[in-house]
Amino acid sequence: MVFAMACAGPLAAAITPPGLELISTSNCTACHAASAASGAWLFPKPGPRLTEVASHARPAWLTQFLTSPQAAKPGTTMPDLLRGDTAKAEALTHFLLSTQPPANPPLLPDKAAAARGESLYHRIGCVACHAPQNGTAPPAGSVPLPPMEEKWTFDGLRRFLLDPLATRPSGRMPAMGLTDKESSDIAHYLLRGTRVPAAVEVAIYRNRIRSLEDFDTTEIERTAPAPALTLEGSLSERGSALRFTTWLTIPTTGPYTFYLNASTASRLAIDGEWIMGMDSWETRGIAENHLRRLDAGPHEIKVDFIRRGQETPSLAIEWEGPGIPRAPIPAALLTSTREPVPPAPAFTPDPAKAAAGRTLYASLNCAACHESTPAIPAPPSLESLAAHSNQGCLAETPAAPLPDYQFDGAQRQAIRESLSTFTKPNLPPPTPEEHLASTLSTFRCLQCHVRDGQGGVPADRSGFFTSNGDDLGEEGRLPPRLDGSGDKLRPEWIRQVLTEGAAVRPYLNTRMPQFGPANIGHLPDLLTTIDRNAVPVKPTSDSPEIQRAAGRLLTGTDGLSCIACHRFNRQPAHSLQVLDLTTTTQRLNEDWFRRFLRDPNPFNPGTRMPALWPGGHSLIPAVLEGDTDRQHAALWTYLADGTSAKFPEGLSRQNMELIVGGDPVVYRGKLWEAGFRAIATGYPGAVNAAFDAGEMRLALVWRGRFLNVSPHWSSQGMGSIHPLGTDEVILPHGAPFAILTHPEAPWPTTSSKATGMRFGGYQLDASKRPILLYGFNGLNIEDTLTPASPADPPSLHRTLKFTGPPPAGLHLRLATGSLSPAGPGQWRLNNSLTLKLPDATNALLRGKGAQQELLVPILSTSPLEIEYVW
């Protein structure tokens, strides 16, 4: 089982039998139809969708996996269908890869991104199921990973991590709420062993470097391949510091002279020894040479370069030696690794093999698992298997072409017992407790959570569950208990947490996985059915105005000082920074809230929440005559105003809210989701937008209140500035403009600057609205946002003006996510914002699920008008 029973209880009595789990995970009902009664006990695990397998899997690995699934990926639920027949596996590979565009070539891993990905992988919850990748011994029960660089392409893995359910709808691999950048970082980390032929690897630094020695201690922003030991393209940007690393193959043993010429501080090392430029920090440039005898074979070369001043940067590295006149070192002699990496073999589907594979795919009924289509001819029903449980797939050695799941004797016996029990006539449906136990087991919920004394983070994984808050103890690093969750939480809030990624514990580094509504959408009602113990709330005669005033007083420093520990409307508390009080009534049932306030410890043993009404008596008798029920009602009414609630006393000193009146308000600085160079504008009409000047993209729009910028002046809070309003919509990360060779070409993952974009600042128009100025390969762009009038519904009107001819194939990426048509020229984004375009825009919607993209071709210099409507 996924979890061990720690004590007896309702959940322990409802543990799913191992045989039933095997029937589900093996997807037996894909071929053997189950009755409605039997099916109610199962959570089938369909095979992954193969529509994009060409962009995910490498051909050699796919052939290896089809030849022998367990050898290629131990623990897989894919049965052995081919019994080691490599020819058939190759035919299936050619067929599967013939129906889709070829995958992108392998990508040299970005070491800086991989370092960030390593941190993410080990702290957001990946190691709740998978083994750590940092040398720690694999904990028991870890879901194995295949040799990642052998199986995955970079772009395929990145897209899979963003939305696993699009490929694997069973939900066993959940989404982790990753951003584009986070999914890229983890993909770089998991594919860090990928070997790609490259002449040079260059590390790019953005932080200030104060001496050449700082190269070894300064954080690298990214690494990338380079064609030679020269400055090219973005490598020559002002403010950059670069480290080139390569291996030079010396053709003949003998004396070699190396020449280093640079416009600013630079140095060169051979085989780990710096031989030129060690004193160049104080000079305007360097021109040195060095003679050294080198043996034939590979030698490591490193070059550090600092970009300073206004002049055009230059770097030239030359050599001369036996039979070699002075000249730049040829790229053909350079490799980024000591041992040269051969080019990856190109794969071209063979039509004859693809045709044979198509026939084989049909004859093996692969579509039954991977496309959920009925097997032909129809195999016996699940109910009929009980009488033949020693045959077919349950035989000790299943005969070809039957699938061989390689069950051991205990597993076969467990399946036989479950078939005997769960295919009987008049089988009752699972009780709510049994249904819950099966759900929690299927999706490994008790790997992190505790319920009925079962589950919880195992000791050998506990160290990876961390907090980013101070002094919060176990509550600050471990996921919450599930005991009584259906009594505590409103069903709609449970649904938001489970299917929409809602979260209120920012101090937890571990994220709540998203398994998909189709898989766990029944849990809110199920938990409510099992747990809910509604208690009538005692009414009071106090008016709402009196209650709000009393609740505000109790919350502040003149009352119970709740804000000493709890955040309030995203404003920091005085100490612990636990749950935001303005989310209280959105999440909790009022009767549970009142019971909890009277005595928190039984609900969460060991909690740091104090008993502020000990024995049912108030500690603040001056408020509402010390009546506990009236005070609880006052708190509820006050907190029910949510983000509109007036700040409690004692918190205003921390508030530096920018209030928008009749004129727009512009803030420049670091902002959530808009980066270090954000330009945020609050417009009259309570609509707001933030532009990321680093990527030259519209990053964020929201409505309501604008910003509290007090963290801008706090070193501890720097970076925590977040919109104060509601309905935030995050727009695509990365380059907003790109040249596509054809409509289905993948959007580039490189930065905006790498694609040729340049930022030119902004100007204020007569109404004090910023006009953002930037360009793309000679095309100048003016980008202006205007609040619509009248503002019902709230909306922003965006105008893009172009000067200069647009390059052929130029496209603007307006949105990514789940997009559905909402009328002519209209699309609804993630069910939260409507984008409206002129009918003649020829917008292109591509992709599927949560990975759709809305693109607009830029064909002329005519202005582009866009509306964002909530």
Side-chain angles (χ1 to χ4, degrees):
M1 298 299 295
V2 170
F3 49 86
M5 290 188 291
C7 68
L11 196 62
I15 290 296
T16 306
L20 209 59
E21 282 201 349
L22 285 167
I23 293 171
S24 291
T25 57
S26 303
N27 200 24
C28 299
T29 54
C31 291
H32 305 285
S35 67
S38 298
W41 289 85
L42 300 172
F43 279 92
K45 181 188 175 187
R49 293 172 177 147
L50 302 178
T51 52
E52 295 186 3
V53 69
S55 68
H56 290 169
R58 301 196 181 282
W61 186 89
L62 187 56
T63 298
Q64 179 187 3
F65 178 73
L66 293 171
T67 301
S68 180
Q70 286 294 336
K73 188 180 183 297
T76 182
T77 54
M78 168 75 178
D80 186 353
L81 291 163
L82 304 183
R83 274 58 169 195
D85 192 325
T86 303
K88 290 182 178 179
E90 287 182 353
L92 281 172
T93 299
H94 282 259
F95 164 61
L96 293 172
L97 302 188
S98 68
T99 61
Q100 305 151 46
N104 293 327
L107 186 72
L108 187 70
D110 179 341
K111 292 178 180 176
R116 296 190 299 267
E118 179 178 15
S119 174
L120 282 167
Y121 178 89
H122 290 102
R123 64 183 167 85
I124 66 171
C126 303
V127 293
C129 293
H130 297 291
Q133 302 288 302
N134 59 359
T136 306
S142 294
V143 177
L145 295 174
M148 299 297 284
E149 63 274 9
E150 294 181 15
K151 173 183 177 180
W152 287 96
T153 66
F154 170 79
D155 194 56
L157 181 55
R158 178 189 66 81
R159 292 169 65 88
F160 174 74
L161 293 171
L162 271 177
D163 188 9
L165 297 172
T167 302
R168 298 183 184 177
S170 73
R172 269 59 167 191
M173 170 65 189
M176 297 301 292
L178 300 174
T179 64
D180 282 341
K181 185 174 184 298
E182 288 174 334
S183 63
S184 292
D185 288 348
I186 295 178
H188 277 292
Y189 173 61
L190 294 176
L191 299 177
R192 62 195 180 278
T194 303
R195 303 180 74 234
V196 175
V200 179
E201 184 176 65
V202 59
I204 302 171
Y205 302 78
R206 290 284 183 246
N207 293 336
R208 184 176 180 183
I209 290 182
R210 301 175 184 272
S211 70
L212 290 170
E213 287 71 25
D214 282 357
F215 272 92
D216 295 321
T217 57
T218 301
E219 182 179 359
I220 299 171
E221 182 187 76
R222 65 186 178 96
T223 65
L229 289 169
T230 58
L231 299 177
E232 289 193 8
S234 62
L235 301 184
S236 62
E237 290 178 7
R238 181 179 179 184
S240 297
L242 309 172
R243 169 169 283 180
F244 298 88
T245 303
T246 187
W247 290 83
L248 168 62
T249 301
I250 297 295
T252 305
T253 299
Y256 290 84
T257 302
F258 292 85
Y259 300 87
L260 174 62
N261 289 272
S263 58
T264 184
S266 185
R267 61 179 178 173
L268 184 147
I270 297 180
D271 295 332
E273 179 186 353
W274 297 105
I275 61 172
M276 287 186 285
M278 291 77 75
D279 300 323
S280 64
W281 183 260
E282 303 299 331
T283 64
R284 291 185 58 84
I286 179 175
E288 293 186 17
N289 61 76
H290 180 86
L291 176 66
R292 169 160 294 211
R293 181 178 178 84
L294 296 175
D295 293 331
H299 295 266
E300 187 185 41
I301 305 289
K302 283 187 179 179
V303 178
D304 289 345
F305 177 81
I306 301 287
R307 171 67 166 88
R308 293 189 299 191
Q310 300 293 329
E311 68 276 6
T312 302
S314 63
L315 174 67
I317 300 165
E318 300 174 300
W319 72 333
E320 63 180 339
I324 301 173
R326 178 173 173 174
I329 300 174
L333 296 179
L334 301 176
T335 58
S336 61
T337 55
R338 181 184 180 93
E339 299 298 328
V341 178
F347 179 85
T348 302
D350 180 277
K353 291 183 178 180
R358 183 187 298 273
T359 301
L360 191 59
Y361 184 89
S363 67
L364 293 173
N365 276 315
C366 301
C369 274
H370 294 285
E371 300 172 34
S372 299
T373 59
I376 301 174
S381 69
L382 192 70
E383 280 67 25
S384 68
L385 296 182
H388 307 282
S389 58
N390 289 316
Q391 303 173 21
C393 301
L394 292 178
E396 185 171 351
T397 306
L402 292 174
D404 183 359
Y405 289 89
Q406 301 187 0
F407 296 132
D408 60 28
Q411 290 173 320
R412 290 196 299 274
Q413 183 57 32
I415 293 174
R416 293 182 187 116
E417 291 174 358
S418 288
L419 286 173
S420 175
T421 302
F422 293 96
T423 60
K424 289 181 178 179
N426 302 319
L427 175 71
T431 65
E433 289 76 14
E434 289 168 330
H435 197 189
L436 177 63
S438 182
T439 303
L440 299 184
S441 174
T442 296
F443 299 104
R444 299 172 67 96
C445 304
L446 299 189
Q447 281 288 103
C448 297
H449 299 279
V450 174
R451 184 176 170 98
D452 283 351
Q454 298 178 41
V457 178
D460 51 4
R461 299 183 194 269
S462 180
F464 297 101
F465 287 74
T466 58
S467 172
N468 56 45
D470 295 329
D471 198 30
L472 295 179
E474 298 291 84
E475 286 182 283
R477 72 179 190 91
L478 297 180
R481 303 169 65 90
L482 298 183
D483 296 287
S485 55
D487 188 35
K488 169 184 177 180
L489 300 173
R490 298 164 63 90
E492 52 268 36
W493 175 254
I494 301 176
R495 187 167 288 106
Q496 288 181 51
V497 171
L498 295 178
T499 65
E500 299 176 23
V504 291
R505 291 178 170 83
Y507 44 83
L508 284 181
N509 284 327
T510 304
R511 300 181 185 178
M512 175 65 197
Q514 298 294 293
F515 297 95
N519 298 309
I520 59 171
H522 60 282
L523 270 180
D525 293 338
L526 190 59
L527 287 168
T528 301
T529 298
I530 296 172
D531 292 343
R532 189 72 176 108
N533 179 30
V535 176
V537 173
K538 186 175 181 180
T540 71
S541 59
D542 299 311
S543 69
E545 291 74 18
I546 290 175
Q547 288 182 324
R548 288 189 181 93
R552 179 172 179 263
L553 177 59
L554 288 168
T555 304
T557 50
D558 292 336
L560 297 169
S561 199
C562 305
I563 56 174
C565 298
H566 286 275
R567 296 168 63 87
F568 193 96
N569 200 4
R570 296 174 179 155
Q571 303 307 305
H574 296 167
S575 57
L576 294 184
Q577 314 303 330
V578 295
L579 286 80
D580 194 315
L581 289 173
T582 57
T583 68
T584 299
T585 62
Q586 177 188 4
R587 299 182 294 111
L588 305 179
N589 289 309
E590 184 179 1
D591 62 311
W592 186 95
F593 170 77
R594 294 194 183 197
R595 284 180 271 146
F596 176 78
L597 290 181
R598 285 179 176 270
D599 189 3
N601 199 65
F603 294 89
N604 191 6
T607 181
R608 299 190 178 198
M609 172 72 181
L612 298 173
W613 287 267
H617 300 290
S618 173
L619 298 176
I620 312 292
V623 178
L624 299 179
E625 301 177 338
D627 187 295
T628 295
D629 290 317
R630 292 173 66 193
Q631 289 183 357
H632 289 173
L635 281 169
W636 184 263
T637 300
Y638 170 58
L639 296 177
D641 286 340
T643 57
S644 299
K646 189 176 180 180
F647 276 46
E649 290 295 332
L651 198 65
S652 59
R653 63 182 178 84
Q654 301 180 17
N655 184 41
M656 297 183 67
E657 182 174 351
L658 300 179
I659 305 298
V660 181
D663 292 325
V665 175
V666 178
Y667 161 80
R668 294 183 61 183
K670 185 178 180 182
L671 180 66
W672 175 78
E673 284 296 333
F676 286 85
R677 300 179 61 193
I679 301 171
T681 307
Y683 296 92
V687 287
N688 316 280
F691 186 84
D692 179 355
E695 288 289 350
M696 286 150 283
R697 67 184 183 97
L698 183 62
L700 191 67
V701 294
W702 71 100
R703 60 177 178 166
R705 293 161 60 192
F706 186 36
L707 298 173
N708 169 26
V709 297
S710 58
H712 187 91
W713 288 272
S714 166
S715 60
Q716 292 183 344
M718 182 60 180
S720 61
I721 298 176
H722 192 290
L724 291 180
T726 59
D727 300 320
E728 307 121 333
V729 177
I730 300 170
L731 297 168
H733 286 264
F737 287 90
I739 295 173
L740 303 183
T741 55
H742 58 84
E744 295 303 318
W747 198 262
T749 58
T750 52
S751 68
S752 294
K753 289 185 178 180
T755 64
M757 294 192 69
R758 292 294 181 269
F759 186 60
Y762 69 92
Q763 301 171 348
L764 296 179
D765 66 11
S767 299
K768 299 182 181 179
R769 295 184 295 252
I771 303 173
L772 301 155
L773 309 173
Y774 49 97
F776 182 90
N777 292 339
L779 179 69
N780 295 320
I781 304 166
E782 293 183 7
D783 194 342
T784 308
L785 285 166
T786 306
S789 180
D792 187 20
S795 62
L796 280 166
H797 187 92
R798 184 183 186 188
T799 302
L800 294 168
K801 295 181 179 179
F802 306 98
T803 305
L810 181 63
H811 288 73
L812 167 66
R813 184 167 65 164
L814 273 185
T816 58
S818 177
L819 288 149
S820 55
Q826 301 182 34
W827 292 266
R828 190 72 174 163
L829 172 61
N830 296 330
N831 201 30
S832 58
L833 185 76
T834 298
L835 291 88
K836 295 184 178 181
L837 294 167
D839 292 344
T841 306
N842 296 321
L844 169 65
L845 181 64
R846 64 183 195 175
K848 61 182 181 180
Q851 293 187 1
Q852 291 175 290
E853 296 176 312
L854 181 61
L855 308 183
V856 177
I858 307 300
L859 304 175
S860 70
T861 55
S862 299
L864 176 62
E865 309 285 345
I866 308 160
E867 281 192 72
Y868 301 86
V869 183
W870 280 271

